[in-house]
Amino acid sequence: MAEEKLTYEQARDELADVVRRLEAGGLTLEESLSLWERGEKLATTCEEWLEGARARLAAAMSAPTEGEAPTANDTPF
């Protein structure tokens, strides 16, 4: 079964909870490893969201605004 896609905020908040639990200690080795693995997945999810946001911002910043004349970089020739 595929895992549901978390929002950035959900992944960030859960990652913060994982870190808090790991830092608090008192876990078995198996519990710690399990939390660490979950944290790695959550960190990857956050990074994917951030990369997508960066790409969207870059695309928005490079797109000419309405009524703006294209620059030499905007032409396909």
mmCIF file of all heavy atoms in Angstrom, residues 23-45:
data_model
loop_
_atom_site.group_PDB
_atom_site.id
_atom_site.type_symbol
_atom_site.label_atom_id
_atom_site.label_comp_id
_atom_site.label_asym_id
_atom_site.label_seq_id
_atom_site.Cartn_x
_atom_site.Cartn_y
_atom_site.Cartn_z
ATOM 1 N N GLU A 23 15.853 12.891 20.906
ATOM 2 C CA GLU A 23 16.686 13.653 21.833
ATOM 3 C C GLU A 23 16.329 13.378 23.290
ATOM 4 O O GLU A 23 17.184 13.457 24.163
ATOM 5 C CB GLU A 23 16.569 15.150 21.539
ATOM 6 C CG GLU A 23 17.280 15.553 20.274
ATOM 7 C CD GLU A 23 17.120 17.022 19.936
ATOM 8 O OE1 GLU A 23 16.184 17.673 20.476
ATOM 9 O OE2 GLU A 23 17.907 17.529 19.124
ATOM 10 N N ALA A 24 15.077 13.042 23.553
ATOM 11 C CA ALA A 24 14.642 12.765 24.918
ATOM 12 C C ALA A 24 15.244 11.471 25.446
ATOM 13 O O ALA A 24 15.435 11.305 26.649
ATOM 14 C CB ALA A 24 13.112 12.706 24.978
ATOM 15 N N GLY A 25 15.558 10.557 24.530
ATOM 16 C CA GLY A 25 16.167 9.293 24.936
ATOM 17 C C GLY A 25 15.154 8.353 25.574
ATOM 18 O O GLY A 25 13.948 8.543 25.494
ATOM 19 N N GLY A 26 15.674 7.326 26.228
ATOM 20 C CA GLY A 26 14.831 6.356 26.892
ATOM 21 C C GLY A 26 14.184 5.354 25.962
ATOM 22 O O GLY A 26 13.293 4.613 26.367
ATOM 23 N N LEU A 27 14.615 5.293 24.736
ATOM 24 C CA LEU A 27 14.056 4.369 23.750
ATOM 25 C C LEU A 27 14.969 3.162 23.609
ATOM 26 O O LEU A 27 16.172 3.237 23.855
ATOM 27 C CB LEU A 27 13.922 5.056 22.386
ATOM 28 C CG LEU A 27 13.079 6.322 22.342
ATOM 29 C CD1 LEU A 27 13.274 7.037 21.013
ATOM 30 C CD2 LEU A 27 11.621 5.987 22.557
ATOM 31 N N THR A 28 14.385 2.067 23.166
ATOM 32 C CA THR A 28 15.215 0.909 22.845
ATOM 33 C C THR A 28 15.967 1.196 21.552
ATOM 34 O O THR A 28 15.625 2.144 20.817
ATOM 35 C CB THR A 28 14.356 -0.358 22.655
ATOM 36 O OG1 THR A 28 13.540 -0.174 21.490
ATOM 37 C CG2 THR A 28 13.493 -0.647 23.873
ATOM 38 N N LEU A 29 16.953 0.391 21.274
ATOM 39 C CA LEU A 29 17.699 0.544 20.031
ATOM 40 C C LEU A 29 16.764 0.407 18.836
ATOM 41 O O LEU A 29 16.823 1.207 17.893
ATOM 42 C CB LEU A 29 18.834 -0.481 19.951
ATOM 43 C CG LEU A 29 19.659 -0.468 18.669
ATOM 44 C CD1 LEU A 29 20.311 0.897 18.464
ATOM 45 C CD2 LEU A 29 20.702 -1.569 18.701
ATOM 46 N N GLU A 30 15.886 -0.589 18.881
ATOM 47 C CA GLU A 30 14.959 -0.810 17.768
ATOM 48 C C GLU A 30 14.026 0.384 17.583
ATOM 49 O O GLU A 30 13.761 0.812 16.456
ATOM 50 C CB GLU A 30 14.153 -2.095 17.992
ATOM 51 C CG GLU A 30 13.283 -2.476 16.810
ATOM 52 C CD GLU A 30 14.057 -2.692 15.511
ATOM 53 O OE1 GLU A 30 15.181 -3.217 15.548
ATOM 54 O OE2 GLU A 30 13.524 -2.317 14.445
ATOM 55 N N GLU A 31 13.512 0.936 18.683
ATOM 56 C CA GLU A 31 12.641 2.117 18.597
ATOM 57 C C GLU A 31 13.399 3.310 18.018
ATOM 58 O O GLU A 31 12.870 4.038 17.178
ATOM 59 C CB GLU A 31 12.089 2.477 19.984
ATOM 60 C CG GLU A 31 11.088 1.498 20.529
ATOM 61 C CD GLU A 31 10.773 1.722 21.996
ATOM 62 O OE1 GLU A 31 11.645 2.215 22.753
ATOM 63 O OE2 GLU A 31 9.631 1.402 22.383
ATOM 64 N N SER A 32 14.633 3.486 18.461
ATOM 65 C CA SER A 32 15.457 4.588 17.965
ATOM 66 C C SER A 32 15.725 4.451 16.467
ATOM 67 O O SER A 32 15.628 5.426 15.712
ATOM 68 C CB SER A 32 16.784 4.650 18.715
ATOM 69 O OG SER A 32 16.574 4.976 20.061
ATOM 70 N N LEU A 33 16.054 3.231 16.040
ATOM 71 C CA LEU A 33 16.312 3.005 14.614
ATOM 72 C C LEU A 33 15.057 3.240 13.784
ATOM 73 O O LEU A 33 15.115 3.829 12.704
ATOM 74 C CB LEU A 33 16.840 1.585 14.384
ATOM 75 C CG LEU A 33 18.269 1.336 14.837
ATOM 76 C CD1 LEU A 33 18.605 -0.140 14.734
ATOM 77 C CD2 LEU A 33 19.241 2.172 14.041
ATOM 78 N N SER A 34 13.940 2.790 14.292
ATOM 79 C CA SER A 34 12.672 2.978 13.590
ATOM 80 C C SER A 34 12.348 4.460 13.447
ATOM 81 O O SER A 34 11.943 4.928 12.370
ATOM 82 C CB SER A 34 11.563 2.302 14.383
ATOM 83 O OG SER A 34 10.778 1.505 13.585
ATOM 84 N N LEU A 35 12.531 5.210 14.534
ATOM 85 C CA LEU A 35 12.275 6.654 14.483
ATOM 86 C C LEU A 35 13.252 7.342 13.537
ATOM 87 O O LEU A 35 12.877 8.253 12.794
ATOM 88 C CB LEU A 35 12.388 7.263 15.884
ATOM 89 C CG LEU A 35 11.154 7.189 16.744
ATOM 90 C CD1 LEU A 35 11.452 7.709 18.145
ATOM 91 C CD2 LEU A 35 10.007 7.976 16.130
ATOM 92 N N TRP A 36 14.518 6.924 13.579
ATOM 93 C CA TRP A 36 15.524 7.517 12.689
ATOM 94 C C TRP A 36 15.129 7.318 11.221
ATOM 95 O O TRP A 36 15.181 8.250 10.421
ATOM 96 C CB TRP A 36 16.893 6.906 12.955
ATOM 97 C CG TRP A 36 17.949 7.478 12.069
ATOM 98 C CD1 TRP A 36 18.318 7.039 10.835
ATOM 99 C CD2 TRP A 36 18.726 8.643 12.322
ATOM 100 N NE1 TRP A 36 19.293 7.843 10.307
ATOM 101 C CE2 TRP A 36 19.563 8.842 11.201
ATOM 102 C CE3 TRP A 36 18.802 9.531 13.386
ATOM 103 C CZ2 TRP A 36 20.466 9.885 11.123
ATOM 104 C CZ3 TRP A 36 19.710 10.575 13.291
ATOM 105 C CH2 TRP A 36 20.518 10.746 12.185
ATOM 106 N N GLU A 37 14.724 6.096 10.894
ATOM 107 C CA GLU A 37 14.306 5.801 9.516
ATOM 108 C C GLU A 37 13.101 6.645 9.120
ATOM 109 O O GLU A 37 13.035 7.162 8.003
ATOM 110 C CB GLU A 37 14.002 4.314 9.362
ATOM 111 C CG GLU A 37 15.247 3.444 9.434
ATOM 112 C CD GLU A 37 14.950 1.964 9.581
ATOM 113 O OE1 GLU A 37 13.805 1.586 9.923
ATOM 114 O OE2 GLU A 37 15.880 1.170 9.362
ATOM 115 N N ARG A 38 12.141 6.783 10.030
ATOM 116 C CA ARG A 38 10.977 7.621 9.745
ATOM 117 C C ARG A 38 11.418 9.068 9.546
ATOM 118 O O ARG A 38 10.937 9.750 8.636
ATOM 119 C CB ARG A 38 9.952 7.515 10.892
ATOM 120 C CG ARG A 38 8.729 8.367 10.698
ATOM 121 C CD ARG A 38 7.925 7.920 9.504
ATOM 122 N NE ARG A 38 6.750 8.758 9.342
ATOM 123 C CZ ARG A 38 6.091 8.904 8.214
ATOM 124 N NH1 ARG A 38 6.460 8.231 7.138
ATOM 125 N NH2 ARG A 38 5.052 9.690 8.138
ATOM 126 N N GLY A 39 12.327 9.530 10.365
ATOM 127 C CA GLY A 39 12.840 10.894 10.234
ATOM 128 C C GLY A 39 13.508 11.129 8.892
ATOM 129 O O GLY A 39 13.343 12.185 8.280
ATOM 130 N N GLU A 40 14.265 10.135 8.421
ATOM 131 C CA GLU A 40 14.916 10.258 7.112
ATOM 132 C C GLU A 40 13.874 10.402 6.003
ATOM 133 O O GLU A 40 14.021 11.215 5.087
ATOM 134 C CB GLU A 40 15.819 9.050 6.842
ATOM 135 C CG GLU A 40 17.076 9.036 7.675
ATOM 136 C CD GLU A 40 18.046 10.138 7.310
ATOM 137 O OE1 GLU A 40 18.132 10.507 6.121
ATOM 138 O OE2 GLU A 40 18.720 10.631 8.229
ATOM 139 N N LYS A 41 12.810 9.598 6.078
ATOM 140 C CA LYS A 41 11.740 9.687 5.071
ATOM 141 C C LYS A 41 11.053 11.047 5.130
ATOM 142 O O LYS A 41 10.746 11.648 4.088
ATOM 143 C CB LYS A 41 10.722 8.569 5.275
ATOM 144 C CG LYS A 41 11.237 7.204 4.908
ATOM 145 C CD LYS A 41 10.197 6.136 5.166
ATOM 146 C CE LYS A 41 10.758 4.746 4.886
ATOM 147 N NZ LYS A 41 9.798 3.694 5.196
ATOM 148 N N LEU A 42 10.808 11.517 6.334
ATOM 149 C CA LEU A 42 10.152 12.823 6.489
ATOM 150 C C LEU A 42 11.041 13.955 5.970
ATOM 151 O O LEU A 42 10.558 14.882 5.317
ATOM 152 C CB LEU A 42 9.790 13.059 7.955
ATOM 153 C CG LEU A 42 8.688 12.157 8.507
ATOM 154 C CD1 LEU A 42 8.670 12.222 10.025
ATOM 155 C CD2 LEU A 42 7.330 12.534 7.925
ATOM 156 N N ALA A 43 12.340 13.865 6.242
ATOM 157 C CA ALA A 43 13.272 14.878 5.748
ATOM 158 C C ALA A 43 13.296 14.883 4.222
ATOM 159 O O ALA A 43 13.336 15.954 3.593
ATOM 160 C CB ALA A 43 14.672 14.629 6.311
ATOM 161 N N THR A 44 13.235 13.707 3.611
ATOM 162 C CA THR A 44 13.191 13.612 2.148
ATOM 163 C C THR A 44 11.913 14.250 1.618
ATOM 164 O O THR A 44 11.943 14.982 0.622
ATOM 165 C CB THR A 44 13.289 12.141 1.703
ATOM 166 O OG1 THR A 44 14.554 11.626 2.134
ATOM 167 C CG2 THR A 44 13.158 11.996 0.203
ATOM 168 N N THR A 45 10.795 13.991 2.274
ATOM 169 C CA THR A 45 9.529 14.592 1.861
ATOM 170 C C THR A 45 9.608 16.115 1.934
ATOM 171 O O THR A 45 9.197 16.807 0.999
ATOM 172 C CB THR A 45 8.367 14.086 2.754
ATOM 173 O OG1 THR A 45 8.247 12.671 2.576
ATOM 174 C CG2 THR A 45 7.054 14.759 2.410
#
